[in-house]
Amino acid sequence: MGVENLPIGIHIILDGYEISPERLTDAIRLSQALTDAAQAAGMTPLSEPSVHLFPGGGLTAFLPLAESHLALHTYPEHGYIAADCFTCGKPDGADRAVAVLCDALGQGRFDIRRLERGR
């Protein structure tokens, strides 16, 4: 397989359902989960995670990486999280990062889609 046939990046989209509202509102835990996910994947954070808390308890968190990014958005009133991991240069790293995020969320039901970007 030549370089022209390899994707530029891997983008994993995670939908998590039936997640404990306590886990979805725990900014410290989720911020640490992003950092842990990057470390497990061998990725390079460019800063600390940025976290924004919304009235009512949901949050958005973002971790920029030299290899792209990790992001998540929580909806505790629905027991739902939308997360994504985009990475270039670490094809199997995205899978490891998402596994760490799922572990941090605990019990729940996860729908994971893996996309090859930039063919």
Side-chain angles (χ1 to χ4, degrees):
M1 180 182 274
V3 172
E4 67 278 355
N5 292 325
L6 296 175
I8 291 172
I10 300 297
H11 195 160
I12 295 185
I13 298 170
L14 166 70
D15 291 305
Y17 304 93
E18 302 167 11
I19 309 296
S20 158
E22 292 77 24
R23 297 254 177 165
L24 295 175
T25 56
D26 188 338
I28 294 170
R29 176 191 291 267
L30 292 173
S31 179
Q32 186 62 51
L34 289 176
T35 301
D36 293 346
Q39 181 179 16
M43 297 174 186
T44 310
L46 298 176
S47 70
E48 294 296 316
S50 174
V51 180
H52 177 79
L53 302 171
F54 293 97
L59 61 86
T60 290
F62 179 77
L63 179 61
L65 304 167
E67 299 82 8
S68 283
H69 72 270
L70 293 167
L72 54 87
H73 313 280
T74 72
Y75 302 83
E77 69 276 19
H78 299 290
Y80 173 73
I81 187 170
D84 69 272
C85 172
F86 181 64
T87 181
C88 54
K90 302 260 183 197
D92 59 338
D95 298 302
R96 289 194 309 271
V98 168
V100 169
L101 291 177
C102 288
D103 286 345
L105 293 166
Q107 297 291 326
R109 181 171 52 86
F110 300 102
D111 178 20
I112 299 171
R113 289 170 278 165
R114 189 175 196 275
L115 307 169
E116 292 183 346
R117 305 289 303 269
R119 280 236 176 243

